[in-house]
Amino acid sequence: MSNHVYIEGKPRVFGRFVLYVLLIIGAAVTIWRFINGLGSVTNLNDTYPWGFWIGFDILTGIALAAGGFTLTAAIYLWGSEKYHPLTRPAILTALLGYIFFVVALFIDLGRGIVMWRMFLPWRWQHDSVMFEVGWCVATYLIILIFEFLPSILERYNRQDLIQLWEKITPLVVIVLVTLFTYAMTSSGLWTIAILVITVLFELLQMMEVVPRSRPVPILLIMGGVLLSCLHQSSLGSLFLIVPHKLNALWHTPLLPIEFLLSAIMVGPAMVVFEGIVSARIFRRKPELELLSGLAKAIPILISIYLVVRVVDLAVRGAVFSAFELTPQAVMFWVELTLGAVLPLVLFATPEIARTERGLFWGSLCAVAGVFIHRLNVSVIGIKVPSWESYTPALSEYLISLGVVAAGLLMFSYIVRNFPVYEKPAGQEIA
Amino acid sequence: MNGTFLKVMISLLLVVNTILVVFVCNMVFDLRQQVDNLQGVATKSDLIAMAAPSIELAFEEQCTRCHTEKRFADMPLDEEHRSVLLMNHVRRFNIPESEIENIQASLTLFDYSQYLTKEMLQQMVLMTDGERMEILLGIPEMTRDKAQQILKSYKMLLKM
């Protein structure tokens, strides 16, 4: 039987009021956007077809949803079982992150309504990174839904459906991964190879040669980690084609690796941040011991990311750009110090990493660092003298805030009505 | 708390300082390499050349508002030049004669941008015509006539 509980406390009235106001304003501007077109609500132009929405809603949103795959990998692939109580909130955050990413994409795309065409084999475009990202996100979204399904089924006490879920989930993952391989390669050989490997793995588990993981099928976790790594890095690949537009401080052949490393780095930080903030909002005690334990991994992950960033800049000879008096150089230093060095120091100091306040500020800095990095790559770093400039319109901010507000309200509703949080031993809901 | 704050500040400065040291070492190393690459004492004409403005491809500012760079990349050079004249005379864009020459010179260099990167074009400012020709003739399938044409375009853009 599951040890999960419903959150009983309601978020503070003022907070809810602000979120509803933001949601209503965002919805109104979105309706305006669909009636009058993109030009009526954005300052985007032919020189800057991608702006704040891509940087914030998509690049940052996807990166911050990385907690789902990093935590499930840590627990189910590397055996850090004690962090199990943090899994469902992390998966829920990831699921909502991806759902609202798709919503934001519909608003951002000129003709989002034809997005489904990427699934038609005669429209497959293997030279396009976006094609890979689109497929990855679609398949990973299905995997996240499957990862979150037990919460919904437990809510309605459907043990029969939970058993069915356990049986069909590996098959669904096999079909998804095989289909994804065929879509990406159009190669029968690769498709058969992936099909054979995944089916063989499942058979070995059925014959109990390989231990079967409970409560989540290991193939589901593996599929999620695989697809996440692929599209987290591919989002960086999107910017490889603009060496003449993106500042040398960010344009590097290692951009996909940097995107992946920063997503892995921010994954646990986001889980810590969400754990502390949701505890404050719902007036319950945070899982401080677990969050502190998880935070121990963050300095290592930030160090790896920092070393890659610094060495890459030095090897490419882009260091000079960091010492110019430009907005890009200033933002680079803000990103590096506030978003990487400061959380590294905070999490590496035991007196701070053990306290609620320390965890909050450390994780906030790490999250802000990834947000600034994505914004630097997609908006601030893209400056070409004498070309048209771009400053996001107020309506762009309002729509983004509306999307975030919708996500937070949905999160609040789900944790109060579905068993998401696990009750740690000796702790009571306040 | 004061002790912890001090510890954090020291660690923060230490890490930032380490990054700065790596960056500065890298800059010094780069500078040393550049100095090593200097072949002789700079002459007055070298200094004048160094003061020359950087090479700006005229079409980047004017044409890419409507055309993509890929369009130019896919088009043979003669056709590009014809297109510019066509736009001027048939479509009545009224581009000044001097500007047409600059755009055509830019497009000539753009056709070889795979080999003649911005850094390379900048380095060529300091070179003699002979050294420039040597570099141009090093481009695969380059003929002497073509190299002369590129050199002429390059010198025209230098005077801009």
Side-chain angles (χ1 to χ4, degrees):
Chain A
M1 192 61 196
S2 167
N3 192 28
H4 291 88
V5 291
Y6 300 86
I7 295 295
E8 286 166 4
K10 270 196 168 184
R12 290 164 211 282
V13 177
F14 179 71
R16 264 189 300 158
F17 174 75
V18 170
L19 289 178
Y20 276 118
V21 169
L22 287 175
L23 177 63
I24 291 165
I25 294 173
V29 183
T30 305
I31 292 168
W32 181 263
R33 172 256 175 269
F34 279 110
I35 293 171
N36 296 298
L38 274 174
S40 63
V41 291
T42 75
N43 280 345
L44 296 171
N45 49 54
D46 287 345
T47 315
Y48 289 90
W50 286 6
F52 181 73
W53 285 344
I54 295 290
F56 180 72
D57 300 354
I58 293 168
L59 298 183
T60 310
I62 292 283
L64 297 186
F69 91 91
T70 47
L71 202 69
T72 49
I75 292 167
Y76 298 108
L77 300 183
W78 297 315
S80 307
E81 288 288 339
K82 66 173 179 172
Y83 298 114
H84 193 265
L86 303 174
T87 323
R88 281 192 185 177
I91 289 173
L92 176 61
T93 310
L95 178 61
L96 291 176
Y98 277 83
I99 287 173
F100 284 99
F101 151 74
V102 175
V103 171
L105 198 60
F106 264 110
I107 299 169
D108 189 17
L109 290 178
R111 294 179 67 213
I113 199 78
V114 295
M115 220 172 5
W116 58 274
R117 288 185 185 168
M118 70 175 169
F119 300 109
L120 302 176
W122 56 92
R123 289 193 182 268
W124 286 353
Q125 173 53 275
H126 293 109
D127 294 331
S128 165
V129 178
M130 270 195 246
F131 172 68
E132 191 254 5
V133 173
W135 261 82
C136 250
V137 169
T139 41
Y140 184 52
L141 197 53
I142 298 171
I143 284 187
L144 278 172
I145 291 169
F146 267 80
E147 285 180 353
F148 192 68
L149 259 182
S151 297
I152 300 169
L153 300 176
E154 277 173 24
R155 160 76 174 79
Y156 297 104
N157 205 17
R158 296 297 303 265
Q159 286 304 319
D160 52 336
L161 290 180
I162 290 176
Q163 283 172 359
L164 182 68
W165 172 82
E166 281 181 7
K167 280 182 189 153
I168 65 161
T169 299
L171 296 176
V172 171
V173 178
I174 290 170
V175 170
L176 282 177
V177 173
T178 307
L179 200 62
F180 177 79
T181 309
Y182 185 66
M184 291 304 111
T185 62
S186 280
S187 154
L189 199 66
W190 274 108
T191 310
I192 291 168
I194 293 294
L195 181 67
V196 168
I197 290 168
T198 47
V199 168
L200 197 66
F201 186 77
E202 184 55 22
L203 284 175
L204 289 173
Q205 283 192 98
M206 285 168 84
M207 291 185 293
E208 294 181 357
V209 178
V210 174
R212 185 178 282 281
S213 66
R214 300 276 176 180
V216 184
I218 198 78
L219 264 179
L220 188 65
I221 305 301
M222 286 161 70
V225 172
L226 174 84
L227 292 166
S228 291
C229 288
L230 283 172
H231 71 267
Q232 291 284 2
S233 56
S234 298
L235 287 172
S237 309
L238 288 173
F239 291 88
L240 289 179
I241 59 167
V242 285
H244 55 296
K245 283 177 99 173
L246 185 55
N247 193 292
L249 289 168
W250 294 284
H251 188 274
T252 158
L254 294 186
L255 207 51
I257 293 171
E258 286 181 1
F259 263 59
L260 178 62
L261 287 177
S262 56
I264 293 172
M265 168 191 95
V266 84
M270 189 60 197
V271 174
V272 172
F273 182 72
E274 181 268 316
I276 301 279
V277 172
S278 67
R280 280 187 192 177
I281 289 173
F282 296 112
R283 284 163 273 181
R284 63 184 186 87
K285 286 181 183 173
E287 302 89 344
L288 214 53
E289 199 182 322
L290 289 179
L291 296 176
S292 303
L294 189 66
K296 281 180 188 163
I298 299 175
I300 301 166
L301 298 171
I302 295 180
S303 302
I304 295 170
Y305 171 71
L306 256 183
V307 168
V308 170
R309 274 306 297 274
V310 170
V311 171
D312 169 63
L313 280 166
V315 169
R316 283 188 298 113
V319 169
F320 285 92
S321 308
F323 294 100
E324 290 167 355
L325 200 61
T326 59
Q328 286 78 21
V330 172
M331 286 309 290
F332 166 78
W333 284 109
V334 171
E335 176 203 323
L336 211 69
T337 48
L338 182 79
V341 179
L342 187 57
L344 168 68
V345 171
L346 290 176
F347 283 119
T349 310
E351 299 95 307
I352 289 178
R354 276 198 297 261
T355 62
E356 188 182 332
R357 193 195 266 187
L359 286 172
F360 172 77
W361 285 108
S363 56
L364 180 65
C365 286
V367 168
V370 170
F371 167 60
I372 298 170
H373 176 254
R374 299 303 194 259
L375 223 52
N376 280 344
V377 171
S378 60
V379 182
I380 296 161
I382 297 194
K383 290 283 171 194
V384 183
S386 81
W387 282 22
E388 271 182 277
S389 65
Y390 163 74
T391 310
L394 177 66
S395 40
E396 289 178 62
Y397 294 120
L398 290 177
I399 288 181
S400 292
L401 286 173
V403 170
V404 173
L408 292 175
L409 286 169
M410 187 78 92
F411 185 89
S412 160
Y413 173 79
I414 292 175
V415 295
R416 282 184 287 117
N417 292 284
F418 292 88
V420 174
Y421 283 95
E422 202 165 300
K423 191 167 83 172
Q427 277 200 16
E428 296 299 326
I429 302 293
Chain B
M1 193 59 199
N2 276 344
T4 311
F5 179 74
L6 203 65
K7 204 168 159 181
V8 168
M9 286 310 291
I10 290 170
S11 308
L12 187 73
L13 290 174
L14 190 73
V15 179
V16 172
N17 203 30
T18 310
I19 294 171
L20 282 172
V21 167
V22 172
F23 280 3
V24 171
C25 285
N26 182 256
M27 287 165 82
V28 171
F29 184 72
D30 268 5
L31 196 66
R32 197 179 153 181
Q33 267 192 330
Q34 282 177 23
V35 171
D36 285 348
N37 289 339
L38 289 176
Q39 289 173 348
V41 179
T43 62
K44 198 176 173 183
S45 59
D46 285 341
L47 292 174
I48 292 166
M50 278 175 79
S54 60
I55 298 285
E56 292 294 338
L57 299 183
F59 83 95
E60 276 193 351
E61 281 189 12
Q62 306 197 9
C63 308
T64 50
R65 287 176 194 271
C66 304
H67 304 292
T68 62
E69 286 189 3
K70 189 172 184 300
R71 175 171 164 74
F72 294 114
D74 289 346
M75 210 187 266
L77 187 58
D78 293 345
E79 203 182 312
E80 282 169 5
H81 289 185
R82 269 205 311 278
S83 299
V84 176
L85 293 174
L86 198 69
M87 278 182 66
N88 212 26
H89 297 303
V90 180
R91 307 286 296 277
R92 301 190 186 287
F93 268 71
N94 296 328
I95 310 169
E97 200 63 38
S98 56
E99 202 60 21
I100 290 181
E101 284 179 357
N102 286 335
I103 293 171
Q104 290 187 333
S106 299
L107 287 169
T108 305
L109 288 183
F110 180 68
D111 268 30
Y112 294 91
S113 56
Q114 192 186 348
Y115 306 100
L116 300 174
T117 57
K118 280 211 163 182
E119 291 74 26
M120 175 60 79
L121 292 175
Q122 207 59 49
Q123 282 173 19
M124 281 166 64
V125 172
L126 284 176
M127 294 176 186
T128 62
D129 277 359
E131 287 168 332
R132 288 169 182 166
M133 275 300 280
E134 206 175 309
I135 286 175
L136 295 175
L137 289 170
I139 296 173
E141 297 175 22
M142 177 60 68
T143 61
R144 185 162 282 278
D145 286 348
K146 201 80 190 166
Q148 290 282 8
Q149 192 188 343
I150 297 170
L151 185 59
K152 193 177 154 199
S153 301
Y154 177 74
K155 285 162 86 172
M156 182 185 290
L157 289 175
L158 263 187
K159 285 178 193 160
M160 273 174 69

